[in-house]
Amino acid sequence: MPKRRALTLLLLTFAYFFSYMDRQILAILNEDIIRDLHLSDAQMGILGGMAFAIFYAGLGIPVAWLADRGNRVRIIAGALAIWSAFTALGGLAGNFWQLLGARIGVGIGEAGSSPPSHSIIADLYPPDKRASAMSIYSLGVGLGAAFGTIIGGVVATYYGWRVAMYVIGLPGLLLAGIIWAVVPEPKRGLSDAQIAMDTARPSLTDGFTTLFANRAALHLVAGFTLTSMIGYGLTAFGPSFMQRSFGFTKLDIALKVAPAGAIIVAVAAIASGRIADRLTRRYGQYSQSFMVAVFKTIGLPLTLCVYTATNPTFGVGAYFLSILFSTAYLGVTFALIQSEAPVRLRATWAAITLLVNNMIGLGLGPFLVGMLSDALKPTYGPESLRYSMFVFAAITPWAIFHYWRAGVLLKRRAIERKAAPDTVFA
């Protein structure tokens, strides 16, 4: 069982890794695509965010509804095959609309990845190990984006951005076959033996009703969404900022910045999961939300230093330090939301969370950064992106508040449960 559980987590993490490689590949290719297809920053923001997010988030709910009733593994494998194929097709695009269609296809495919994966991991790992498991799974975000930058930057430099799309997209088809053949479908509620499983299949309405009745969960979703909006906006234009303001080339970013960033993100994800599980065992699960608020508070001034730096060495150093703290939220947030969700509604809760997160976070983040950059360009020229990204990073205290408030509510409920253990609280 432990070996099979670890293998399942590894393969699901690889699927998440491929989703972020395919999702973030445009970031390192932005400048090449802008020149080749004559696009604006706002159009690139649409391609990198809104076009993907609308279909990704919109289809996530019905896919999660199916996942809470059917075979989650086959849904993940089929979805991986779809988004991988559309990523490769993006390399054939000859104009904005064709590339838009390919990115919409990627969004449609990726709608079937995260909600069922969250549900499977929550079934395999008990609450006091769940944050570590989710943090390992969340490695797919940082490592996928980093390797997309590394591979995309190197391949695009020597063979062009179109070949980079093929190289990133096609291997996902092989992984889809492996997941279909190797990963078993676990029993629902496997690691929550104390919970009596209801044989009735809950409705989609039950998912919304139970989530919106949970105030702590709503604050977690709000904090997660705001953090993601900032993160997606900054990530989508990070390589462009380094090229325009620091004078880096694609190869500089691919071979110097991205590898170091990948290591730091991996350390942050694993360490945050371990710390969160230890805090849970000592104080209770509510402490995880406070932990995220503290880490984000430490990371904020470091992030702002990146966009005020005029010295590239100082700016990149501040960037490395900032992501050590600012990326330590993802797995912990996933674990908290899954622990709050009813067992039979875990995929649905994950999908609702991702619906809100991606419509606002992914849909608006890159677009708003690009639109603000275009608006500032007549005044600041190539430096317009710097000021646009600084403004976006400065929104972070709003997200910090929601994580702090979620911690307060979770702690209050934990105290109430301890005082009246036979009472069930929403």
Side-chain angles (χ1 to χ4, degrees):
M1 172 64 182
K3 290 183 179 180
R4 180 59 64 90
R5 183 174 68 177
L7 177 61
T8 297
L9 178 59
L10 178 65
L11 289 174
L12 292 180
T13 301
F14 268 119
Y16 203 33
F17 171 89
F18 271 81
S19 77
Y20 264 82
M21 276 212 307
D22 294 7
R23 190 183 308 185
Q24 297 296 333
I25 182 63
L26 288 187
I28 191 64
L29 305 180
N30 269 355
E31 300 301 295
D32 290 347
I33 295 174
I34 286 171
R35 284 193 297 269
D36 190 15
L37 302 185
H38 309 291
L39 306 183
S40 67
D41 283 347
Q43 285 178 306
M44 290 307 302
I46 292 172
L47 290 172
M50 192 176 296
F52 175 93
I54 291 173
F55 290 88
Y56 174 70
L59 290 175
I61 297 292
V63 169
W65 182 84
L66 291 174
D68 277 329
R69 287 156 175 74
N71 190 298
R72 294 165 288 183
V73 173
R74 292 187 177 182
I75 290 173
I76 294 167
L80 173 55
I82 292 171
W83 88 63
S84 298
F86 273 102
T87 297
L89 285 173
L92 300 175
N95 55 52
F96 171 78
W97 297 106
Q98 291 173 0
L99 189 52
L100 178 67
R103 299 313 290 175
I104 288 173
V106 174
I108 291 172
E110 290 197 22
S113 174
S114 285
S117 294
H118 288 200
S119 177
I120 289 173
I121 294 169
D123 283 343
L124 292 176
Y125 289 87
D128 64 343
K129 295 182 179 179
R130 199 166 286 156
S132 290
M134 285 293 188
S135 293
I136 290 172
Y137 174 73
S138 74
L139 285 173
V141 175
L143 295 183
F147 275 85
T149 300
I150 295 168
I151 298 170
V154 172
V155 174
T157 297
Y158 294 107
Y159 302 102
W161 67 268
R162 298 178 185 279
V163 176
M165 299 285 275
Y166 308 146
V167 171
I168 291 292
L170 293 177
L173 298 173
L174 175 61
L175 179 62
I178 293 172
I179 290 175
W180 183 288
V182 172
V183 177
E185 174 72 12
K187 179 182 176 181
R188 297 178 192 271
L190 181 65
S191 295
D192 296 275
Q194 76 280 9
I195 299 175
M197 287 293 296
D198 186 354
T199 56
R201 294 183 174 183
S203 66
L204 186 59
T205 303
D206 293 331
F208 282 94
T209 301
T210 53
L211 177 57
F212 282 91
N214 189 314
R215 292 172 59 205
L218 289 178
H219 279 288
L220 287 170
V221 172
F224 176 47
T225 299
L226 288 166
T227 299
S228 295
M229 183 180 74
I230 297 164
Y232 281 128
L234 300 183
T235 301
F237 287 96
S240 291
F241 164 69
M242 291 185 180
Q243 289 175 76
R244 296 180 194 180
S245 296
F246 290 166
F248 288 6
T249 66
K250 287 193 298 292
L251 276 181
D252 289 331
I253 299 169
L255 300 180
K256 298 176 183 178
V257 179
I263 294 171
I264 293 170
V265 167
V267 169
I270 295 172
S272 65
R274 297 281 181 85
I275 294 170
D277 282 338
R278 288 181 181 178
L279 288 173
T280 297
R281 288 189 285 269
R282 184 167 182 179
Y283 299 107
Q285 201 159 30
Y286 67 85
S287 59
Q288 295 182 9
S289 195
F290 290 135
M291 183 198 82
V292 173
V294 170
F295 282 173
K296 294 193 69 60
T297 300
I298 297 171
L300 174 58
L302 295 168
T303 302
L304 295 178
C305 283
V306 176
Y307 304 111
T308 56
T310 55
N311 182 290
T313 302
F314 176 80
V316 172
Y319 167 73
F320 288 148
L321 286 174
S322 71
I323 61 176
L324 182 63
F325 295 99
S326 61
T327 60
Y329 74 98
L330 191 58
V332 177
T333 306
F334 287 164
L336 280 168
I337 291 173
Q338 287 294 295
S339 295
E340 288 292 298
V343 171
R344 293 290 303 192
L345 288 167
R346 280 176 168 162
T348 301
W349 269 45
I352 295 170
T353 301
L354 293 172
L355 169 67
V356 177
N357 173 70
N358 287 295
M359 289 298 291
I360 297 174
L362 180 56
L364 292 181
F367 172 68
L368 291 176
V369 170
M371 185 176 67
L372 182 57
S373 175
D374 284 341
L376 295 174
K377 197 165 289 183
T379 304
Y380 296 103
E383 292 295 310
S384 65
L385 192 55
R386 174 196 295 275
Y387 295 105
S388 174
M389 296 173 83
F390 178 89
V391 169
F392 232 60
I395 303 172
T396 300
W398 188 5
I400 293 171
F401 163 77
H402 285 293
Y403 276 107
W404 169 80
R405 186 60 184 163
V408 169
L409 293 172
L410 290 170
K411 182 179 181 180
R412 182 182 301 167
R413 194 173 65 195
I415 293 172
E416 291 172 345
R417 280 177 169 169
K418 187 175 293 186
D422 293 331
T423 303
V424 177
F425 293 88

